[in-house]
Amino acid sequence: MRSPFRYFNSSPEVIRLVVMMYVRYPLSLRNVDDLLAERWIDISHETVRFWWNRFGPMFAAEIRKKRVAHLRRFPQWRWHLDEVFVKINGKLCYLWRAVDHEGEVLETVVTAKRDKAAALKFLKRIMKKYGRPRSVVTDGLCSYPSAMKEIGNVDRHEVGRRLNNRAENSHQPFRRRERAMQRFRSAKTLQKFSSVHAKIHNHFNQERHLVAREIYKQRRSAALGEWRALMA
């Protein structure tokens, strides 16, 4: 397999660092440019934009491949589904998000509406990848019961505002990135970035508030080691 970095003068290590900084943290293109300059890495903000567009989806696909294989070996206990409004050029669209019982983002989908057809498309997409869960928690949006009925999942559907806090909280990291990027210009860009951001956030999310400092440091080092080995 040919290296995807073969036509670039910069090293793969620098490219991975740039993509990680821009996608993982709430930084603008120029913030990344300034931080790299302090490390004697001279690239422009347009290079940062080009690299995340080119390599971000590749890195996310590698992470997703490993995570899907891992998740399919274990029963899917509970999914939490939620949707938020996102403005694109003054027009509202909807970003749907599915989160498992441990808080890992499974899938994100952008739609122009939040009707039964949109909910059905979202459910079919995640079930095709991960199978059928034991239960699905949603808010009170009427599109969910209609979609659940069509796919034969009514008996596994749970509705409750507080029950769905896990999905609602999962939007926060993305909202911080959205503000740093000064929103999105198209639904295509939103879909691309939200998918890449979800996979990279999953990879580095070690739930540090639930484990001791030493365990967190070990997990963080392991995650960084796996990141540096992507597409090596």
Side-chain angles (χ1 to χ4, degrees):
M1 180 180 176
R2 291 186 177 181
S3 170
F5 308 105
R6 62 187 181 278
Y7 297 127
F8 293 83
N9 293 328
S10 297
S11 67
E13 290 75 17
V14 171
I15 294 174
R16 290 193 195 96
L17 175 63
V18 169
V19 174
M20 183 188 72
M21 290 175 68
Y22 181 66
V23 179
R24 183 183 176 189
Y25 302 110
L27 300 170
S28 68
L29 297 168
R30 288 172 173 80
N31 289 153
V32 177
D33 183 357
D34 291 341
L35 288 172
L36 291 171
E38 294 178 9
R39 292 161 173 78
W40 305 101
I41 300 174
D42 184 20
I43 61 171
S44 72
H45 67 279
E46 289 298 338
T47 303
V48 178
R49 188 200 308 275
F50 178 78
W51 282 354
W52 100 254
N53 270 292
R54 175 74 176 264
F55 294 101
M58 295 183 187
F59 296 151
E62 286 292 309
I63 294 171
R64 181 173 58 246
K65 191 188 303 180
K66 296 177 181 178
R67 299 303 291 174
V68 169
H70 172 75
L71 290 172
R72 278 190 170 275
R73 292 201 301 266
F74 300 95
Q76 296 292 299
W77 294 349
R78 175 179 281 184
W79 289 351
H80 299 260
L81 311 184
D82 193 38
E83 74 291 334
V84 291
F85 299 93
V86 181
K87 241 179 199 180
I88 300 176
N89 295 327
K91 194 173 181 180
L92 284 178
C93 67
Y94 304 92
L95 177 64
W96 303 69
R97 190 183 303 272
V99 181
D100 70 5
H101 60 281
E102 294 182 334
E104 182 159 332
V105 181
L106 301 174
E107 192 67 47
T108 60
V109 175
V110 178
T111 62
K113 299 179 180 179
R114 56 172 182 169
D115 53 8
K116 174 187 172 182
L120 195 59
K121 173 186 175 183
F122 180 48
L123 284 166
K124 286 182 176 179
R125 184 164 173 172
I126 55 177
M127 286 184 178
K128 183 179 179 182
K129 287 185 179 180
Y130 301 100
R132 194 179 293 264
R134 294 179 183 176
S135 66
V136 178
V137 180
T138 70
D139 55 19
L141 181 67
C142 60
S143 302
Y144 287 119
S146 303
M148 292 288 184
K149 185 176 180 180
E150 183 158 331
I151 62 176
N153 214 34
V154 176
D155 58 328
R156 305 183 185 194
H157 186 201
E158 300 178 37
V159 180
R161 187 172 182 181
R162 294 183 180 177
L163 286 176
N164 213 27
N165 283 345
R166 188 175 288 280
E168 292 173 1
N169 291 337
S170 72
H171 293 297
Q172 293 177 6
F174 179 79
R175 285 300 197 192
R176 288 192 288 269
R177 289 300 296 115
E178 182 187 23
R179 286 192 293 271
M181 297 173 71
Q182 299 180 355
R183 298 186 176 177
F184 296 89
R185 306 297 188 270
S186 69
K188 183 178 179 181
T189 303
L190 171 58
Q191 178 66 69
K192 181 177 181 179
F193 187 85
S194 63
S195 297
V196 173
H197 179 268
K199 300 303 177 291
I200 294 179
H201 176 73
N202 286 342
H203 182 75
F204 288 104
N205 182 21
Q206 305 301 326
E207 297 184 329
R208 62 190 305 167
H209 60 291
L210 299 177
V211 297
R213 173 69 178 172
E214 288 303 316
I215 296 175
Y216 169 71
K217 287 167 64 176
Q218 292 171 11
R219 292 180 178 178
R220 180 177 61 184
S221 298
L224 284 170
E226 291 175 13
W227 175 262
R228 290 167 182 150
L230 285 177
M231 302 171 64

